[in-house]
Each structure stands twice: as C-alpha cells, then as structure tokens.
Amino acid sequence: MLHKSFHIVTFGCQMNANDSRWLALSLEARGFARAEAVEAQVVVINTCSVREKPEQKVIAALNDVRRLTRANPDVLVVVAGCVAQQLGEALFSAGDQVRLLIGSDGLAHAPEAIERLLAEPELKLALLDFVDSCEERAPVSGASGPVAQVNIMQGCDNFCAYCIVPFTRGRQKSRPSSAVLEECRARLEEGAREICLLGQNVNAYGRDKHGDGTSFAGLLARVAALPGLARLRYVTPHPKDMSSEDVAAFGTLACLCPRLHLPVQSGSDAVLTRMGRKYGRRDFFNLVERLRKARPDIALGTDIIVGFPGESEKDFEDTLDMIKTCEFVSSFSFCYSDRPGARAALFPDKTAPAVSRERLARLQVMQDALTQRLLEERVGRKTDILIEGRSRRQNSGETSWQGRDPYGVPVHLVLSGDTDYTGKMAPVLITQAKKHTLMAQQAGEIW
C-alpha cells in the first residue's frame, strides 16, 4: 500500500466524471498521489443509480476492490454518488473497508473526511444530508485538457415518473452566475478551448429560488463572451424548458456548437403523459422545427426509454416515427426498469421483458442505419476539429489523432511529425464514415 494514495472508479454521467475530477485534484492538493487500486490507500467508487440494478454493480465493484486489496485490509473504501444517497448506511454492511459514504451534496467535504478517517481508523462517516443551497467547493487547479466541464446546477424538480434523480440528487439548486463564470475563466486559463455546461436539467438554470436573476440564455451569452473560448456546449436540457431565447442562441452565439442532446424519451403522446414529461409529440416536433430554423445544420441526439408500462405496439411505432422524422444522429436507448421511489415502479401493465428487448433491438437497428446515413453525408465536406489527444489505435509508422467536429462526432486524423497536437484546432476534409466516427485528412493550417 502506498501512503497517501488514492484510486477513483467512476460510473455514470458527465456530472459524476466532473465530480471525480474535482475530488482527485483536491486530494492531490493535500499531498495524495494517484495509484492503481491494488496499491491505493483510499479507493473511491463514484456511483450512478439511473439504470437497472445499480446496487448489484456497486456490490460487484466492492468485491473487485476487496479482491484486489486482499493484501491491504486497511484500505479505506469510499462509496459516493447516487447509490450512496439511495442505499445510505446500509452500504456499511457491504464490508469493513467501507467507511465513508458521500451523497450528492456531501462531496465538498470529502477531502477533509478522508483525512480524518485515515487518522481515526475505527471511525465511519456518512455525508448524506441534502443542503438547501448549491454549496461551492474549494477551487482546484490542474490541466483541464482541451475540453472542460463545468457544473452550473444540481438536482431536478421535474419528478418524471420513471426517474430517481430528484431523490438521489435532490431538488434543483442553481449556482451563482459569478461562480460559474469564475470557474469557466479558470478552466480557459488552464488551457481548455471548449466548455461544456452541465446540469440534470441544465436549461432550467436560474428558475429555482437560488437563481440570481440570470437566465440560462443569459448565462450562455456571458460564457460565450469569455476570452479564449472556441466552443461551447451544454447537457442535458429538458424540452419543456427550452425557451425561445435558448433556441435563438444557436443562431446568435458563434461558439455555441450546432449539436444538442434533447431527450424525448418516447414518441407517443399517451406514454409521454404517463411519464409526466409535460410536452406532447407535436410540441417536440415544433421545437425541432424552431431549432432547425435558428441553426439549419444542427445535429440532434436523444434519449429513449423502450417498454415503459402500458406501451403498446402503436406507441412504440410512434417512437420509431419520431426518430425517423427528427433524424436523430444518435440516441441512448434502453429498456425501462423500475427505480425504487419513482412513481412508475407502482404502475400496472408492465411490458414483458422479451417484448421490450425485441423493440429495443428494432429501434437500435433503425438508429444505426440512420446514423450511418447521416455520417456518410458528411464525406467530402470540410470542417474543423478540436484535437483531444492521440487515437487509441495507432498504425505502424503513423500517428493518429482524435478530436470532435462541431457536431460532436469523433474524427480521426493522421498527422506527421512528433508535435503534440492536443488542444489544437485542425481544418480537415472528411474522407470516410465509420459506424460512429469519421476519418479525415488535414485541409489547412493547424492553430
């Protein structure tokens, strides 16, 4: 075991990844060093409970940690995130190594708690209380890489019938706009060229009691004006909260990328009503039409739940029609599963698992074909990519780099020489479409 060392395992969303980044940098600022799990003194499992059977995944991860650290029984194991919030102190019974539980609002105090637990080996702590406001964390510094993620709010007030987020992340709390802007400036000064604003319901920013009078569209404009920013994105918006100002921003803010992940969940009015989504099929179509009027080349992604309780074959066909009509370039699709505490867990008329799986397979075949067609239409076009690093796969004698175009698609590019192109913008010509990525060649001076 290495003294004052840590290892973090992260499940789930971009907010969890950003939380893990903050915790890692905070621990490093206190003299801790990163290590592999087998050598670490502290192992953190940052969890997600959005989809099916997250508890089993966490127990499996804890068993892996126990196996890897068999020679170091005094390892301090931390369970953080949504599963910690959901299961609470019952997780202490998962093993003697588990001594710290961190809920959604407890992360700001995690570094101090870890140091205290290392000094007091008999102690266990649970930081699971929700707090009234979005507590600011201590600033951290460290290379952000080309793309930086910045949380602008926490929690959600929507209580969609299938969703556990309001119970594990709490009610919506917006950060002060001044704090958001300060963090964005810091990330840009560290070398980031793209910022992605994060929130469970990101475009409802400022509408809760913690708002400081800045709307989401107003925040976008202020972030877009920061020196050094080349690209701006955000996830995840709710269709019902997409204001006319939010839509117009795609036509007025030059750095706002023409890519939007807009979860529809279902294409059926009946299912959307049971889900409590507060918009209908026609509302969504109208929103897509307004977005494409503001930015004709905008690329849309979505989330879809298949087999929601009571979903008929006609309901599912309406969802397939939604995909085809909106021409989603990508979709995260999965079978419905009951989440404890969510209203839909009590709904009758559950869809048979075999039916859900068959529908999901059909949907994904359609989406794959649509994605392939939309990517193939890009071949022969020029664009700019922000290079994020070397590609995982390298050919002998060549160096392949990976970045993303303004539409969020991964693009691979072979460049000669020993230069580190990470963080550079490269003009390229798209030469080939793969299943989910594009191949390109250099088409101008890299900057």
Side-chain angles (χ1 to χ4, degrees), residues 76-389:
L76 166 59
V77 173
V78 181
V79 181
C82 292
V83 173
Q85 193 74 58
Q86 177 186 340
L87 298 184
E89 296 187 17
L91 282 167
F92 283 136
S93 64
D96 292 339
Q97 293 175 315
V98 180
R99 293 174 49 216
L100 177 59
L101 306 176
I102 305 171
S104 302
D105 286 355
L107 190 67
H109 304 286
E112 296 92 337
I114 288 171
E115 289 189 325
R116 180 182 176 189
L117 288 168
L118 291 177
E120 302 178 49
E122 302 303 317
L123 184 65
K124 294 185 178 183
L125 292 174
L127 307 178
L128 300 173
D129 292 337
F130 286 120
V131 297
D132 182 62
S133 60
C134 201
E135 189 171 4
E136 288 298 314
R137 302 170 189 170
V140 294
S141 60
S144 295
V147 180
Q149 297 172 334
V150 175
N151 289 7
I152 68 170
M153 49 87 75
Q154 168 89 326
C156 182
D157 288 343
N158 286 319
F159 290 93
C160 296
Y162 53 82
C163 188
I164 198 173
V165 166
F167 305 101
T168 58
R169 288 279 187 174
R171 303 298 296 270
Q172 180 174 313
K173 302 183 284 284
S174 297
R175 293 180 66 191
S177 58
S178 57
V180 172
L181 290 166
E182 182 178 352
E183 184 173 348
C184 289
R185 288 190 191 95
R187 300 292 84 82
L188 292 170
E189 290 172 0
E190 291 167 359
R193 302 189 72 177
E194 177 182 310
I195 286 177
C196 182
L197 303 179
L198 303 179
Q200 274 85 24
N201 189 20
V202 69
N203 59 333
Y205 173 83
R207 300 185 187 184
D208 52 89
K209 66 180 181 179
H210 307 285
D212 61 9
T214 304
S215 67
F216 180 63
L219 183 67
L220 285 178
R222 293 174 68 184
V223 174
L226 293 175
L229 180 66
R231 289 181 175 177
L232 177 61
R233 304 183 194 270
Y234 61 84
V235 290
T236 302
H238 195 299
K240 75 175 178 61
D241 293 321
M242 203 77 187
S243 70
S244 57
E245 292 80 12
D246 297 344
V247 171
F250 282 99
T252 59
L253 300 179
C255 65
L256 183 59
C257 291
R259 174 64 183 260
L260 183 64
H261 191 80
L262 194 63
V264 66
Q265 307 298 2
S266 174
S268 161
D269 279 331
V271 173
L272 288 170
T273 298
R274 288 198 297 276
M275 287 179 168
R277 292 292 286 172
K278 299 181 178 66
Y279 58 83
R281 177 182 175 86
R282 177 47 52 191
D283 298 323
F284 194 88
F285 282 143
N286 288 339
L287 175 56
V288 170
E289 184 178 352
R290 289 189 291 123
L291 284 164
R292 292 206 161 118
K293 184 176 180 180
R295 185 68 191 261
D297 63 334
I298 195 168
L300 299 176
T302 198
D303 293 337
I304 294 175
I305 298 173
V306 174
F308 190 76
E311 181 188 72
S312 67
E313 179 64 20
K314 174 60 168 59
D315 293 328
F316 176 66
E317 289 174 357
D318 284 346
T319 297
L320 295 182
D321 180 70
M322 175 73 74
I323 293 172
K324 182 168 58 177
T325 302
C326 294
E327 292 195 317
F328 294 119
V329 72
S330 67
S331 62
F332 294 117
S333 54
F334 49 93
C335 293
Y336 167 81
S337 62
D338 287 336
R339 308 307 311 127
R343 286 185 294 118
L346 304 177
F347 286 5
D349 301 325
K350 294 291 195 294
T351 304
V355 173
S356 293
R357 290 193 296 269
E358 187 273 338
R359 288 176 181 170
L360 181 64
R362 285 159 55 196
L363 184 153
Q364 291 178 341
V365 166
M366 171 185 277
Q367 181 64 71
D368 286 346
L370 178 58
T371 299
Q372 187 66 41
R373 176 176 68 79
L374 293 172
L375 290 181
E376 287 175 352
E377 290 176 358
R378 302 283 308 285
V379 175
R381 299 182 184 180
K382 291 184 177 181
T383 188
D384 292 333
I385 68 168
L386 174 58
I387 299 176
E388 297 176 6

Side-chain angles (χ1 to χ4, degrees), residues 397-409:
E398 297 180 329
T399 303
S400 179
W401 297 84
Q402 177 178 314
R404 291 182 185 270
D405 66 9
Y407 308 97
V409 179

